Amino acid sequence: MANATGRPTPPLVLSEAEREYLERQVRKHRVARSLSERCRIILRCGEGVPSKVVADELGVHEHTVGKWRRRFLKDRLDGLLDEVRPGRPRTIDDDQIAAVIERTLRSTPSDATHWSIRSMAGATGFSHTTIRRIWNAFGLQPHRTETFKLSSDPLFVDKVRDIVGLYLSPPNRALVLSVDEKSQIQALDREQPVLPMMPGVPERRTHSYVRHGTTTLFAALDVASSFVIGKCYKRHRATEFLDFLKQIDASVPSDLDVHIVMDNYATHKTASVKNWLMRRPRYHVHFTPTSASWINQVERWFAELTRKQLRRGVHTSTMQLEADIRSFIERHNQNPKPKS
């Protein structure tokens, strides 16, 4: 489309392949914003929209639209890429970069378990800033390590499907409870008073502490409503677990079936616990796969308890610790957040 006055604008016609490429770049989340903007400009110009209108729609200057329109007409898709900028020529070629990457991935230094920036710089003869840029460009972080453990349970897939199916689509007239215990919760008191936070200064506490005993929390999380049934015990034997099951039984309406998700801890499989469950046919037990207790939803709630109440808590006795845990459960149950 030509402007009414001034220099005529040559028509911009896109081929099917060019239009598909431009639309793909616009949809990408990780493409550079500058390239995405240029692709939008060309797509709108290819629809016959005047440069001024395109500039107003995309919030750019009209000269910017004209610039990329001319470059596209001259070089097509290649014209949308940044031109080579003047500057110092490269002193390290691709083969040298590949050698650094290969050495980082396939070897270790003789005096350490992993490479550091300066040890790699000394081994290759490059500067430490060069090594840093190469590692950053390829996402290499030899100083970091993560752990993992694969479940050896032969029925891993079946158990995961069973438990996830309960979470996503619980049976009618049934309650799904994630049950577990958090043992050895320590009542810790600092040797000196905690110094409160001040502007520019974080809260400070002594590294050393005094332990005033431990307690164990048994908890059952209603997966649908996030309501928690919890009780603290001095020990975590089958006797305490059976007593906690009785508390669950007293709290759950008698006309509902109860599906319990729990791990393979020996306390959960004693003869007394099995007999108690067998005498109550409305209870259905679903054990998590071996080494996969992370699938038990109550573990996520334990993490919240630790982060919000226990990690920075100061307790001078187990009674005070248990009182704080009970208060946390009560506050949680006042406004539980159901799973989405």
Side-chain angles (χ1 to χ4, degrees):
M1 179 181 294
N3 294 331
T5 60
R7 182 182 303 174
T9 304
L12 190 153
V13 181
L14 298 174
S15 67
E16 191 63 32
E18 289 173 337
R19 184 179 299 277
E20 182 180 346
Y21 171 82
L22 294 171
E23 291 176 348
R24 187 164 61 248
Q25 298 305 310
V26 169
R27 289 194 300 268
K28 284 184 178 179
H29 294 290
R30 295 189 178 182
V31 71
R33 183 176 180 274
S34 57
L35 179 58
S36 175
E37 183 179 83
R38 298 165 197 172
C39 293
R40 294 177 191 275
I41 291 172
I42 300 305
L43 283 171
R44 293 297 287 152
C45 290
E47 296 171 358
V49 181
S51 297
K52 186 173 183 180
V53 176
V54 175
D56 291 340
E57 289 181 353
L58 301 181
V60 298
H61 197 279
E62 186 177 354
H63 293 321
T64 302
V65 177
K67 169 189 173 181
W68 294 112
R69 183 187 185 106
R70 290 190 300 272
R71 286 185 55 171
F72 183 82
L73 288 172
K74 179 182 177 183
D75 300 318
R76 307 309 290 181
L77 293 175
D78 290 339
L80 301 181
L81 303 177
D82 289 320
E83 296 177 342
V84 178
R85 298 178 182 269
R88 180 184 175 186
R90 289 178 58 183
T91 58
I92 303 175
D93 58 30
D94 292 342
D95 291 338
Q96 292 174 305
I97 293 176
V100 171
I101 297 171
E102 181 71 15
R103 193 165 189 169
T104 305
L105 296 176
R106 306 299 180 191
S107 67
T108 57
S110 59
D111 59 344
T113 59
H114 59 279
W115 291 104
S116 67
I117 288 177
R118 297 188 181 276
S119 64
M120 179 59 73
T124 59
F126 298 134
S127 68
H128 67 276
T129 55
T130 298
I131 300 299
R132 184 188 300 277
R133 285 196 297 268
I134 294 174
W135 283 2
N136 286 341
F138 290 89
L140 298 176
Q141 298 176 317
H143 65 284
R144 293 188 60 187
T145 182
E146 296 180 354
T147 60
F148 72 95
K149 184 175 183 179
L150 298 178
S151 175
S152 59
D153 196 322
L155 300 177
F156 177 81
V157 174
D158 295 335
K159 290 181 178 180
V160 169
R161 286 177 176 172
D162 176 41
I163 293 173
V164 174
L166 282 175
Y167 290 162
L168 298 180
S169 182
N172 293 328
R173 305 294 302 168
L175 196 66
V176 179
L177 298 177
S178 289
V179 177
D180 203 0
E181 60 272 326
K182 184 174 178 62
S183 61
Q184 298 296 313
I185 305 176
Q186 302 183 76
L188 300 180
D189 185 18
R190 299 295 158 177
E191 288 190 344
Q192 308 214 358
V194 176
L195 301 180
M197 177 180 62
M198 298 179 63
V201 180
E203 179 184 274
R204 291 166 292 173
R205 58 184 61 216
T206 60
H207 174 73
S208 53
Y209 57 84
V210 178
R211 193 174 79 165
H212 296 284
T214 62
T215 190
T216 294
L217 171 64
F218 285 81
L221 173 72
D222 179 3
V223 175
S225 68
S226 190
F227 188 88
V228 173
I229 302 171
K231 187 175 182 181
C232 291
Y233 294 88
K234 297 299 181 185
R235 304 175 70 178
H236 52 101
R237 303 168 300 176
T239 303
E240 286 75 19
F241 182 63
L242 187 58
D243 182 76
F244 182 63
L245 288 178
K246 294 177 182 178
Q247 180 175 343
I248 293 176
D249 192 55
S251 303
V252 176
S254 58
D255 59 334
L256 294 180
D257 281 356
V258 182
H259 292 261
I260 295 180
V261 178
M262 56 185 178
D263 60 24
N264 295 274
Y265 186 46
T267 300
H268 303 161
K269 295 183 174 182
T270 60
S272 59
V273 172
K274 290 181 179 179
N275 292 335
W276 188 90
L277 292 171
M278 289 178 61
R279 291 195 300 270
R280 291 160 178 80
R282 72 178 183 132
Y283 281 83
H284 311 273
V285 177
H286 306 260
F287 287 107
T288 62
T290 305
S291 303
S293 59
W294 46 263
I295 201 173
N296 200 341
Q297 289 292 297
V298 74
E299 296 287 352
R300 184 66 193 89
W301 184 82
F302 283 153
E304 287 293 297
L305 170 67
T306 301
R307 181 175 65 88
K308 294 181 178 180
Q309 185 68 49
L310 302 179
R311 182 169 294 148
R312 291 168 58 173
V314 175
H315 304 98
T316 58
S317 66
T318 54
M319 292 181 59
Q320 184 183 12
L321 172 62
E322 292 175 357
D324 283 349
I325 293 174
R326 287 192 296 268
S327 297
F328 181 85
I329 295 174
E330 291 172 2
R331 290 193 300 270
H332 171 83
N333 290 336
Q334 290 173 2
N335 186 28
K337 296 182 180 179
K339 69 179 182 65
S340 57

